[in-house]
Amino acid sequence: CFKEMSFYGAPAVTVAAREQPIPTCRGSNTGSFVVAAEGGNAPYTFEISGPAVTNLNVVGNVASYSSLGEGLYLVTVTD
């Protein structure tokens, strides 16, 4: 498996991500991660693009994604 996280954003918004648990690659949909935003002007909008994203849960400034397969995912957070 390969994992890389990059963050881009306006200086006023801070974004942090945490992978939970390490996915078992090659065809399984066991990956997940959490993205949290702080600063800027809430409420936040979370958008994700990537292969077969179906499970998204947003509570306040935290978005969690689960049942993810291998691939590249891009999360955009807007305040």
Side-chain angles (χ1 to χ4, degrees), residues 7-71:
F7 303 100
Y8 306 93
V13 177
T14 302
V15 178
R18 179 173 44 113
E19 182 182 4
Q20 340 165 271
I22 297 171
T24 55
C25 290
R26 304 276 181 211
S28 65
N29 293 334
T30 60
S32 64
F33 61 89
V34 174
V35 176
E38 293 180 352
N41 298 307
Y44 302 100
T45 301
F46 296 86
E47 294 181 36
I48 185 171
S49 62
V53 176
T54 57
N55 294 318
L56 163 64
N57 183 33
V58 178
V59 178
N61 68 325
V62 177
S64 60
Y65 304 89
S66 61
S67 301
L68 302 175
E70 63 183 297

